[in-house]
Amino acid sequence: MKTGLILEGGAMRGLFSAGVIDVFMENGIEFDAAIGVSAGAAFGCNYKSRQPGRVIRYNKRFAKDPRFCSLRSLIKTGDLFGAEFCYHTIPDKLDLFDTQAYIDNPMDFYVVVTDIETGKAVYINSEEAGEDALECFRASASMPVVSKPVEIKGKKYLDGGIADSVPIQYFESIGFDRNVIILTQPLGYVKKPSSISKVMKHVLKEYPAVAETMENRHNEYNETLAYIAEREKSGNALVIRPETALEIGRVEHNPDKMQAVYDEGRRVAEKYLVKVKEFIK
């Protein structure tokens, strides 16, 4: 039996997941592997590097820094979240990402990205990506329209949540049969069709496969939630989610709102600690 941790994205809703995984780390909870999508990848990698507190710390510290996330960054660099600042300056100089601890931790960490040519999900073991690991995290969190595609080994990718928001079926297919899943929407959430799908087709005319995948995203997401409910009922999945909708935007500059969502993740995680320990035992 192999245990897995699955981290949904959701932009700044991912701070809820950051709160959950920090509580896990502080209580010595370990998995055979984890997989992150979008913010779940960008924040979740700190689980493998064993750095509780780092996600909320740097998000609050740089919340109002235009190099971190701003229209100025989008206009100047093509990325709403500044690629160089977020994925190189911060982890290399300002709030160090512990690369050695990441490498030394035997837990595999997978990242989901979307291939812009096919519109299909690609699953990358970040350890095998080597020096491209940080670029994998960036690609997984590169939202269409407000981010440039990220090139890794000759292929271009965008946000993994476009093609597979909660990769439980992939994880099960490679042998992880007991999974803790952290979602960032409350129970009963149903994704609705995008109201701007026609606009997106025009904006993403260079990437028609991505536009087509996005148009059907709500159906795929809702089907995945139904599958998760079945796996939860059978005892093969344990789901942790916010109890109510998180009051935070996809882009957020208010440190207090960030802290509130993070604290909610911690609160819910504390309630689930005993269940999680029993589940992965």
Side-chain angles (χ1 to χ4, degrees):
M1 181 189 76
K2 293 199 293 184
T3 58
L5 174 66
I6 299 172
L7 300 162
E8 183 184 17
M12 297 310 290
R13 294 198 312 272
L15 289 171
F16 172 86
S17 304
V20 175
I21 64 175
D22 279 0
V23 170
F24 284 4
M25 283 189 275
E26 291 161 6
N27 285 272
I29 294 175
E30 297 185 353
F31 298 86
D32 295 309
I35 186 167
V37 183
S38 194
F43 297 166
C45 60
N46 293 275
Y47 200 110
K48 183 170 166 62
S49 66
R50 293 191 170 109
Q51 291 179 276
R54 182 173 178 270
V55 173
I56 187 62
R57 183 173 63 240
Y58 76 70
N59 272 280
K60 289 177 63 179
R61 178 181 174 186
F62 300 111
K64 297 181 180 180
D65 191 318
R67 296 172 298 172
F68 185 66
C69 175
S70 67
L71 285 176
R72 189 178 88 178
S73 174
L74 178 62
I75 293 168
K76 187 175 180 180
T77 70
D79 288 298
L80 184 66
F81 286 86
E84 182 64 28
F85 186 72
C86 293
Y87 292 94
H88 296 283
T89 303
I90 291 176
D92 293 343
K93 299 177 182 178
L94 302 178
D95 196 319
L96 300 183
F97 180 70
D98 195 335
T99 303
Q100 192 58 53
Y102 186 93
I103 293 170
D104 291 343
N105 187 340
M107 182 189 80
D108 285 324
F109 189 79
Y110 291 79
V111 177
V112 185
V113 295
T114 299
D115 186 315
I116 66 168
E117 296 296 332
T118 66
K120 302 294 184 183
V122 176
Y123 309 91
I124 303 171
N125 186 329
S126 61
E127 189 110 344
E128 295 173 1
E131 293 180 357
D132 289 322
L134 284 174
E135 289 298 277
C136 290
F137 306 150
R138 180 164 78 92
S140 186
S142 290
M143 298 178 287
V145 181
V146 295
S147 307
K148 295 183 295 186
V150 178
E151 185 171 333
I152 301 171
K153 296 179 180 178
K155 302 282 286 185
K156 292 184 178 181
Y157 303 104
L158 281 171
D159 195 313
I162 297 169
D164 193 351
S165 297
V166 192
I168 179 173
Q169 294 185 63
Y170 171 74
F171 237 28
E172 289 182 340
S173 75
I174 61 172
F176 297 96
D177 45 12
R178 288 181 70 77
N179 294 293
V180 173
I181 305 170
I182 303 178
L183 301 180
T184 59
Q185 295 284 13
L187 183 65
Y189 173 79
V190 176
K191 184 175 284 294
K192 298 177 181 179
S194 172
S195 59
I196 58 170
S197 59
K198 291 184 179 179
V199 175
M200 292 299 287
K201 276 189 174 182
H202 175 73
V203 173
L204 295 170
K205 59 185 178 182
E206 292 183 59
Y207 317 118
V210 171
E212 184 177 345
T213 299
M214 289 186 68
E215 188 173 18
N216 191 49
R217 186 174 176 231
H218 64 289
N219 290 323
E220 295 289 344
Y221 185 84
N222 294 332
E223 288 171 8
T224 298
L225 289 185
Y227 181 78
I228 288 171
E230 291 176 6
R231 302 307 286 163
E232 191 174 21
K233 188 175 180 179
S234 70
N236 293 93
L238 175 62
V239 181
I240 298 175
R241 50 166 67 87
E243 294 174 352
T244 58
L246 299 171
E247 295 185 7
I248 194 166
R250 292 186 65 81
V251 175
E252 186 59 67
H253 300 288
N254 186 330
D256 292 335
K257 287 188 176 182
M258 292 179 175
Q259 186 70 50
V261 169
Y262 171 81
D263 288 344
E264 178 64 6
R266 291 190 62 93
R267 186 186 70 80
V268 173
E270 294 281 359
K271 291 176 63 175
Y272 273 83
L273 268 179
V274 173
K275 286 184 179 180
V276 171
K277 289 178 180 179
E278 292 176 349
F279 181 80
I280 65 175
K281 189 179 297 181

